[in-house]
Amino acid sequence: MKHRHIPRRKAAVAGGAVVALVAAAVTFQSANASDSTEQHALKSLTAPAAGTLALSLTEDLGADGAGAYYDAEAKALVVNVVSEDAAQTVREAGGKARIVENTLAELTGARQTLSDKARIPGTSWATDPVTNKLVVTADRTVEGAELTKLQEVVEGLGARAELKRTAGEFKPFVAGGDAIHSGGGRCSLGFNVVKDGEPHFITAGHCGQSGSEWSDAAGGAAIGTMVDSQFPGNDFALVKYNGDTAHPSEVNLYNGSAQAIAKAGDATVGMQVQRSGSTTQVHDGEVTALDATVNYGNGDIVEGLIQTTVCAEPGDSGGSLFAGDTAIGLTSGGSGDCSSGGETFFQPVTEALSTFGAEIG
């Protein structure tokens, strides 16, 4: 298990809370949840504003809160609670209260059960606030005795969890933004950053080891040296630039233009995002879950990832996930491709910056 430094999740992680904001396209119906009667006017909110309100309510509600998500059509925050008193607190704050069956403590316990009993390669799990369940996903490589074991563990969790399958295979996308090369391998640059007043860039940790040299062309002269790499557990790395290599704070849009990057921010479920990578260039999609755990196999388990519908392929690893001028994540891995689709997981940028003591620049 990794030791994480995650100040970005202060309220959400304390007590096991996972604050998630989900787009309105997701149906609100759930077999174990019911909507509370509203007696206060709903606040009209943007997704970022809803995220801020959700974090505030998580602190106020404590154990009576059970996650939240964003209704993009109504522009409202929906907050899961387990008591009528908590529901009233949500309404008074301008949110929509929804009384559910499973507490965050119960869902956190379900996550721990999966970690203890079913750490099977080719699986992932994340809390879904819309269904108020832990959603466990098995890729196509999970079969036979391992699939049976996973099914038994999930069934043992009852109403707290459900099992889904994906046709692809969970794997790191080795081989976002501009291409970077080392030892015959190719990844993608994530974001240019500054550490101790010196220019660096961040990328995926599974792309290389500390001490490896990186160039911007296959067989080209080195433009930087990897000074820190963390994988598995986390999936981020820091490369220090050599010499006078240009390092603008922007992302290549592969259409002759670039997106300026001014800051780093946290993802919210339902957020519309874009990814830039050296294999498939620019694609967009939606954040579908936070704090996801993925078992890529061979003991390569990564936690705390952002799950999305954005496609990616080998060589896109390390590439930029962004929303406008805000850096959100680094491409880690997933299943599928940009022809058939699939899900892709991203390392949160804010965690990488905090760990390295760096900032966007």
Side-chain angles (χ1 to χ4, degrees):
M1 299 296 289
K2 69 176 178 178
H3 300 284
R4 304 173 60 76
H5 302 282
I6 42 180
R8 75 193 196 291
R9 292 196 199 119
K10 298 170 185 173
V13 171
V18 177
V19 176
L21 307 173
V22 165
V26 183
T27 302
F28 291 162
Q29 296 177 348
S30 174
N32 62 354
S34 61
D35 290 340
S36 299
T37 302
E38 300 298 328
Q39 298 180 8
H40 297 267
L42 290 175
K43 286 184 177 179
S44 179
L45 302 167
T46 62
T52 300
L53 178 58
L55 286 174
S56 176
L57 282 170
T58 297
E59 294 178 334
D60 294 340
L61 297 173
D64 284 340
Y69 55 93
Y70 183 57
D71 177 350
E73 183 175 349
K75 299 187 182 302
L77 176 69
V78 182
V79 183
N80 294 336
V81 294
V82 294
S83 74
E84 182 56 36
D85 286 345
Q88 185 65 15
T89 299
V90 172
R91 296 182 197 119
E92 291 174 353
K96 181 177 181 179
R98 181 168 175 261
I99 295 179
V100 297
E101 177 182 347
N102 297 316
T103 67
L104 279 178
E106 290 170 332
L107 295 176
T108 299
R111 293 175 68 96
Q112 189 59 51
T113 297
L114 262 296
S115 181
D116 292 343
K117 297 183 178 180
R119 294 173 73 86
I120 296 170
T123 60
S124 71
W125 53 85
T127 302
D128 179 5
V130 177
T131 62
N132 187 227
K133 292 182 178 181
L134 183 69
V135 177
V136 183
T137 304
D139 72 15
R140 64 179 176 80
T141 68
V142 182
E143 54 189 2
E146 288 189 332
L147 178 58
T148 298
K149 178 182 179 180
L150 183 62
Q151 290 170 330
E152 290 175 348
V153 172
V154 173
E155 288 173 2
L157 294 172
R160 292 179 291 166
E162 64 176 305
L163 178 62
K164 294 183 177 182
R165 299 301 304 267
T166 181
E169 178 181 349
F170 291 139
K171 55 187 177 182
F173 289 129
V174 182
D178 291 330
I180 52 175
H181 302 260
S182 180
R186 174 171 58 85
C187 276
S188 298
L189 189 150
F191 299 97
N192 283 319
V193 302
V194 175
K195 175 179 170 61
D196 299 329
E198 299 291 335
H200 295 68
F201 67 80
I202 52 177
T203 186
H206 72 262
C207 287
Q209 301 296 320
S210 296
S212 57
E213 293 191 328
W214 291 83
S215 65
D216 58 2
I223 63 168
T225 302
M226 191 168 284
V227 294
D228 196 348
S229 176
Q230 300 192 21
F231 179 83
N234 291 308
D235 196 2
F236 48 71
L238 181 69
V239 176
K240 184 176 182 179
Y241 279 109
N242 303 332
D244 298 322
T245 303
H247 49 275
S249 186
E250 60 186 33
V251 172
N252 188 351
L253 297 181
Y254 287 92
N255 61 2
S257 66
Q259 169 64 57
I261 299 297
K263 58 185 180 294
D266 295 325
T268 55
V269 179
M271 175 184 283
Q272 297 298 308
V273 289
Q274 291 180 286
R275 176 199 55 73
S276 179
S278 61
T279 298
T280 59
Q281 302 185 358
V282 179
H283 288 270
D284 57 18
E286 181 179 303
V287 175
T288 56
L290 305 178
D291 200 22
T293 297
V294 184
N295 190 331
Y296 290 127
N298 299 317
D300 294 339
I301 299 173
V302 184
E303 298 172 309
L305 297 178
I306 302 164
Q307 185 171 336
T308 75
T309 61
V310 187
C311 71
E313 296 181 10
D316 289 326
S317 277
S320 323
L321 182 73
F322 57 101
D325 66 354
T326 303
I328 300 295
L330 304 169
T331 307
S332 176
S335 67
D337 53 41
C338 288
S339 296
S340 61
E343 50 270 300
T344 302
F345 299 91
F346 295 83
Q347 167 69 55
V349 162
T350 49
E351 182 179 8
L353 295 178
S354 176
T355 300
F356 293 141
E359 59 185 20
I360 293 294

